[in-house]
Amino acid sequence: MRLGARIIKTGIAVTLSLYLATLFKMEPVIFAALAAVLAIQPSLYRSWQNVLEQLQANVIGAVLAVSFTYLLGNEPIVVGLVVVIIIAINLQLGFERSIPLAIVTVIAIMEWSEGSFLLFALDRFLLILLGIGSAVIVNAAFLPPKYEERLYHELNKANYDILSYLRSSTLDELNDRKYREEVKRIKDLLKKIDQLYSLYKEERTYFRKVTYTKQRKLVLFRKMIQANQKGFALLQSIEKHKTKLAYVPPDLKALLQKEIDILTNYHERILLKYERKLRPHHPHVIPTDVVSGRDQVLTQFMALYKENQEKQDEDWIHLFPLFAQLIDYADTLKRLDKLVESYYSFHEA
């Protein structure tokens, strides 16, 4: 069982909200705890960003709850109607993330049974605000997670999986059932990487030099993500067209496999350069191999396509996207290689 930073922060926020609600003798404390759970965010930046939205959504919820209770009472059907209206208003305002908390506010206020309704509503609204405040305090006090390290770790993991499958893709060695499971896992991993990139991008920096360095690194990481996506797209295209690839002449198939091997090795070497395990500006022949191998593959493919076009065989046209993705992947790697070298030129200057 893994306990991530957000899980721990949620537990601390709930504890703090319960203690504060008890200290100020506000009941029931469960509403403060619920608000803390719903208001917790993965980063301090998102926490501050959402405070205003949450406050607006909850003020709207409180006003509607009080108005409808005065006008129509607090029967279950009225509560349901207010919830529907709150959801519609929040969607219209673009406050989708604050909908659950606004609904909690409505239910908390509209469960009134006796005593002064306005005092009851104010007490419940303050309970919700206490929970939100607890979440903000915890986000501000808790050490922010190192999104850069996590992002690169996940990038490396995705890279290893994609390149491993790419190397075997044209050899018809993949277990179809296992491959489908792995494709789903890799897609989920790529989504997670995009989320981590967004969180890393949102992290605030307070020194000019650090900000400039981070901006360069963001460009670099975005290109790394693109390289993984291009490699994965090529892998899926090869698997999609594997039936047609079975009829490709052996010499063209061998060239295709050779070019994929060159590209996967090139991709690995670029990451090793980024990690400073290779000298950043060390001359190597891989970029030249990429270009010459690509040209040979395309020359043979076009010759084969023209030959089959004369025979009025249109099946070969469906292989065009595969070879286009091969070129796209190669071009992305070349740009990534230049970015890595440029990045270290800046740092070593």
Side-chain angles (χ1 to χ4, degrees), residues 277-325:
K277 292 176 181 176
L278 295 179
R279 281 179 285 171
H281 306 293
H282 182 66
H284 51 78
V285 296
I286 286 184
T288 307
D289 291 343
V290 168
V291 174
S292 61
R294 179 197 66 189
D295 291 346
Q296 288 178 43
V297 170
L298 288 179
T299 300
Q300 282 216 22
F301 174 71
M302 290 307 297
L304 189 65
Y305 174 70
K306 287 178 182 177
E307 179 185 324
N308 283 275
Q309 201 175 32
E310 290 171 3
K311 299 176 185 176
Q312 296 185 337
D313 185 354
E314 294 297 323
D315 283 348
W316 291 92
I317 199 169
H318 298 296
L319 287 175
F320 265 114
L322 190 156
F323 289 94
Q325 281 162 340

Side-chain angles (χ1 to χ4, degrees), residues 265-274 278 282 284 286:
N265 289 334
Y266 187 28
H267 199 159
E268 284 178 340
R269 288 175 69 93
I270 293 170
L271 295 184
L272 288 172
K273 283 167 71 174
Y274 172 75
L278 295 179
H282 182 66
H284 51 78
I286 286 184

